[in-house]
Amino acid sequence: MGELAALEDPKIRAVNEKHGDDHGVNLGKLRALAKRLKTQQELARRLWETDDTAARLLALLICRPKAFERDELDVMLREAGTPKVHDWLVNYVVKKSLHAEELRLTWFADPDPVVASAGWALTTEHVAKRPEALDLVALLDTIEAEMKDAPDRLQWAMNHCLAQIGIEHAEHRARAIGIGERLKVLEDYPTPPGCTSPFAPIWINEMVRRQHDK
């Protein structure tokens, strides 16, 4: 904890706080610390228990994903707090755990939109890697009906799923683009030069173009 405190940078914290993350540690330095510590499951659990965002991010880098029980991961997601901790928990730990599919189904239908967004994130992974496990038409129906009015985190996750369906599955591409054009979700999202807009029609067309250019 002392090392993490020494890495705190007020300028980084100011930027992170604009995105809802309450820490000021450079992530490159955090990863370097994790590389030095290597995998330490017990230390990871103790760091998580501190309720400190930087400590929790470090915990997610040094933990052993398959060592967590299903209920433990469920509790961790519900207490994750900040967007970065939530995203790293889903992407670095839950996706590699033994309970990913069970949690995907549980979280997808959760009334808490932040928890539900984790279910959508895991579903988006399936769109690319295991589409046979999904009903893509039903997913598009849900997105079309609910994405426009969904809270920010859930809306972002649903939009990612919409784009992924359009990118990966040509037979659903026209409908995915059409849904994006009608709902206009993230149409005006500020996108830095050289980056792809998260607006689904632009995102889909750009990624398909890149695939064809390879």
Side-chain angles (χ1 to χ4, degrees):
M1 294 303 292
E3 284 196 59
L4 288 172
L7 293 174
E8 177 77 17
D9 183 326
K11 292 180 180 177
I12 293 175
R13 176 177 283 271
V15 172
N16 287 337
E17 285 181 342
K18 292 179 181 178
H19 304 287
D21 287 307
D22 58 349
H23 77 91
V25 177
N26 177 285
L27 295 182
K29 292 180 179 178
L30 191 74
R31 291 180 188 279
L33 178 56
K35 188 175 181 180
R36 196 186 84 222
L37 291 170
K38 299 185 171 61
T39 302
Q40 295 192 50
Q41 180 67 10
E42 189 53 40
L43 176 57
R45 281 198 167 100
R46 291 176 64 192
L47 286 167
W48 183 270
E49 289 167 1
T50 65
D51 199 25
D52 176 83
T53 293
R56 285 186 162 181
L57 292 173
L58 181 60
L60 297 172
L61 292 175
I62 67 169
C63 73
R64 187 176 293 107
K66 292 181 180 179
F68 290 107
E69 298 296 331
R70 176 216 176 277
D71 289 350
E72 189 175 11
L73 290 170
D74 184 65
V75 170
M76 289 170 71
L77 184 86
R78 294 173 191 279
E79 65 183 25
T82 67
K84 183 67 73 177
V85 172
H86 179 278
D87 292 343
W88 280 23
L89 176 61
V90 172
N91 288 297
Y92 296 171
V93 181
V94 177
K95 285 181 180 179
K96 299 175 183 177
S97 80
L98 303 173
H99 313 287
E101 180 60 10
E102 186 182 353
L103 289 169
R104 180 183 78 83
L105 295 170
T106 299
W107 292 341
F108 191 83
D110 198 277
D112 183 330
V114 175
V115 175
S117 74
W120 278 90
L122 294 170
T123 299
T124 300
E125 177 97 343
H126 276 10
V127 168
K129 296 182 178 179
R130 288 183 55 205
E132 69 280 356
L134 302 173
D135 183 340
L136 297 179
V137 172
L139 276 177
L140 289 171
D141 290 344
T142 300
I143 291 168
E144 191 166 28
E146 299 177 13
M147 182 172 73
K148 180 76 171 178
D149 298 318
D152 288 351
R153 297 286 297 281
L154 179 56
Q155 184 184 71
W156 186 274
M158 294 174 84
N159 183 70
H160 189 180
C161 190
L162 174 66
Q164 199 72 43
I165 292 172
I167 293 163
E168 299 288 344
H169 301 281
E171 69 274 23
H172 298 295
R173 188 167 297 147
R175 185 183 177 197
I177 290 172
I179 290 171
E181 289 174 340
R182 284 193 300 280
L183 299 185
K184 301 186 184 303
V185 168
L186 300 177
E187 181 181 33
D188 299 321
Y189 191 83
T191 305
C195 296
T196 302
S197 169
F199 180 48
I202 294 175
W203 190 355
I204 292 167
N205 286 323
E206 174 61 18
M207 298 309 293
V208 170
R209 182 192 67 77
R210 291 184 194 180
Q211 290 172 356
H212 287 166
D213 288 347
K214 286 183 179 178

